[in-house]
Amino acid sequence: MTGEPQIHPGDADEFAFHAADRPLPEAADVAIIGGGIVGCSAAWFLAQAGVSVALFEKGRIAGEQSGRNWGWVRQQCRSPVELPLMMESLAIWQELPARLGEDVGFRQGGTLYLADDEAGLARLAEWLAVARTHGLDTRVIAGRELADVFAAGSRYAGALYTAGDGRAEPSRAGRAIARGAARAGAHVVSRCAVRGIETAAGRVSAVVTEHGRVATRAVVCAAGAWTRLFCGSLGIRIPQLQVANTVARLGPAPKLLEGQAWSDAVAIRRRADGGYTVAHGHSSVHALVPASFREMFRFLPAFRASPESIRFTLGGDFLRALATPARWALDRPSPFERERVLNPAPAARELREMRAALDTQLPEIAGAPFVETWAGMIEASPDVLPFIAPIDSIGDFYVASGFSGHGFGIGPGAGRLVADMVRGAADPETLRRFRLDRFFDGSPIVPGPAI
């Protein structure tokens, strides 16, 4: 079955209200554009701090990449730039079930990066220096020790292993956090696109949605793959491109591990239902669009660092992008209302290669069929790291995007950072690491890890 990933029973948007059903709030201290895990987490932390907040999602809460990802809550092999924030995020994940009062599927089952030979294991071991600097429990394991945590471990030369890493269920987590935000007093509004903003004296004064205007003193754009288009309509250049990643779900199958494992050929995560989420080890698809050529030189370092991780296509997406307006009147339907949920088709080539890798590398679960297949649209930045920053040209307008496929695990921590940034309480050094102007001030673009 192809389409969108399974929605866990009871996880519909019952905690949100459709704007057509009742009036929007007249005003909120902070308006958040985008109901992914980062936006929902920011709303949760702001509401808990006593800040009135309204979150607007054009489609369904966590309906795009936040609900379609691998479900890894991973510290291992993160860039040193984002690792401290990821460590903070893991601590939040540990508290989430108790604080939200519901199961989000979070378990600390560890992360394995597998190596086929000693040379590959030596390359993985280079990250140990970063792990030691940050006090992680990462180590290289092989032989009996690897087999103890991964039933198929005897087929590999060894692995890099971080036992403290976790996993969670994307189909549950984003919606659970949004429910927590709503209970804390946030207005969580689904099927309500924000068309644009109004300003007064150079600062934001309101958001204009398809169902009306809401006055506000601050706006956060956490719109995922839509961020470049929205900000572009305001004259703000966001160096961001989209890549589609194909994922499959296996039904219940023999237990190989408690957490997740990655190899060049295939990546798997144990699911709460006893099955597995399966992905390709290193292949995503970028459909070329006009922005691909405008941003080409900024993205070249990332492509050169990992050329095997991206497959390029050229087709209808290019023409659709050409036909999409760069600006629009706020009293007319916007592009965000024409496509409520990005739902790219899973790539047949990647699915074939994933199935072949399961057959050869993990025969214990190879007989389990793909119960579901889907794809998610990842918003990538030139250095594969997020930007979480105020926009200098518009006072009190902030952006949080570019998570490059790493956003689910780091989402709660990023949401707290966004909330602190808006409140003026964020650590300046942390914000410096995620500044947007690093792409424009002559700083070298040094890509972080692609996986």
Side-chain angles (χ1 to χ4, degrees):
M1 180 173 69
T2 62
E4 300 178 39
Q6 181 187 52
I7 302 300
H8 190 263
D11 277 348
D13 287 0
E14 76 283 353
F15 53 89
F17 68 83
H18 294 270
D21 297 337
R22 54 177 159 144
L24 297 178
E26 291 184 4
D29 291 334
V30 181
I32 297 175
I33 303 167
I37 194 166
V38 175
C40 290
S41 297
W44 185 46
F45 283 109
L46 284 167
Q48 290 181 98
V51 178
S52 69
V53 57
L55 181 146
F56 301 96
E57 165 56 46
K58 64 182 175 54
R60 293 194 314 275
I61 299 299
E64 295 188 343
Q65 183 59 14
S66 288
R68 297 163 180 258
N69 60 81
W70 297 5
W72 293 31
V73 181
R74 169 185 61 86
Q75 302 166 106
Q76 181 167 294
C77 289
R78 294 257 183 180
S79 164
V81 174
E82 67 177 356
L83 181 55
L85 184 60
M86 180 60 228
M87 294 170 67
E88 294 177 20
S89 193
L90 179 62
I92 298 171
W93 277 105
Q94 291 169 326
E95 300 172 352
L96 271 182
R99 295 182 65 178
L100 296 175
E102 58 182 296
D103 182 11
V104 297
F106 178 74
R107 306 288 187 274
Q108 281 181 276
T111 297
L112 289 161
Y113 276 24
L114 302 161
D116 293 323
D117 52 37
E118 293 299 328
L121 190 60
R123 286 192 294 271
L124 290 174
E126 293 174 0
W127 196 77
L128 286 172
V130 176
R132 293 186 185 114
T133 298
H134 292 85
L136 300 187
D137 59 356
T138 307
R139 66 187 192 278
V140 170
I141 60 175
R144 183 72 261 166
E145 191 176 14
L146 175 55
D148 285 343
V149 297
F150 185 43
S154 61
R155 300 190 185 100
Y156 299 89
L160 192 68
Y161 178 49
T162 304
D165 278 359
R167 59 178 170 88
E169 295 299 330
S171 61
R172 300 180 186 180
R175 292 173 172 83
I177 294 170
R179 280 191 286 272
R183 286 193 297 269
H187 294 272
V188 180
V189 190
S190 62
R191 290 195 63 82
C192 183
V194 174
R195 294 173 173 173
I197 66 171
E198 293 180 352
T199 61
R203 316 192 78 82
V204 298
S205 59
V207 291
V208 179
T209 82
E210 63 182 293
H211 293 290
R213 176 184 184 275
V214 177
T216 186
R217 64 171 182 82
V219 175
V220 175
C221 181
W226 298 90
T227 301
R228 177 172 57 82
L229 180 61
F230 185 88
C231 290
S233 73
L234 306 177
I236 301 164
R237 185 173 182 179
I238 299 292
Q240 175 179 295
L241 296 174
Q242 299 176 2
V243 295
N245 186 255
T246 292
V247 188
R249 176 171 69 90
L250 299 183
K255 184 176 180 180
L256 299 181
L257 77 174
E258 182 58 35
Q260 55 252 353
W262 173 89
S263 72
D264 282 336
V266 67
I268 64 170
R269 170 184 63 85
R270 186 70 169 168
R271 295 173 58 92
D273 61 10
Y276 292 89
T277 293
V278 183
H280 201 291
H282 63 265
S283 182
S284 296
V285 178
H286 173 60
L288 293 166
V289 294
S292 307
F293 300 95
R294 289 196 299 271
E295 301 296 346
M296 177 174 60
F297 291 105
R298 286 188 173 86
F299 278 84
L300 271 178
F303 176 69
R304 288 170 176 160
S306 187
E308 74 286 348
S309 67
I310 296 292
R311 183 165 62 86
F312 296 98
T313 63
L314 180 61
D317 290 296
F318 191 95
L319 298 177
R320 283 189 290 274
L322 276 179
T324 300
R327 288 179 170 81
W328 45 86
L330 300 189
D331 60 352
R332 296 177 180 271
S334 69
F336 315 116
E337 293 144 73
R338 298 190 182 100
E339 190 168 16
R340 294 284 178 181
V341 177
L342 280 174
N343 189 28
R349 172 175 161 179
E350 274 66 25
L351 289 172
R352 288 194 301 270
E353 292 179 358
M354 288 156 55
R355 175 52 69 186
L358 289 176
D359 291 343
T360 58
Q361 295 197 14
L362 301 172
E364 296 90 345
I365 61 174
F370 288 162
V371 178
E372 282 183 294
T373 62
W374 66 86
M377 198 65 80
I378 294 169
E379 86 279 16
S381 76
D383 60 5
V384 202
L385 292 167
F387 36 88
I388 303 170
I391 299 299
D392 293 337
S393 59
I394 303 176
D396 299 315
F397 183 78
Y398 305 86
V399 65
S401 192
F403 288 88
S404 305
H406 304 169
F408 180 71
I410 208 171
R416 182 161 68 184
L417 178 60
V418 169
D420 288 347
M421 175 176 64
V422 172
R423 295 169 53 235
D427 172 49
E429 175 56 27
T430 300
L431 289 181
R432 189 194 68 79
R433 295 201 301 269
F434 298 113
R435 70 194 191 282
L436 178 62
D437 63 8
R438 69 185 188 268
F439 301 121
F440 304 103
D441 64 5
S443 299
I445 296 176
V446 182
I451 299 297

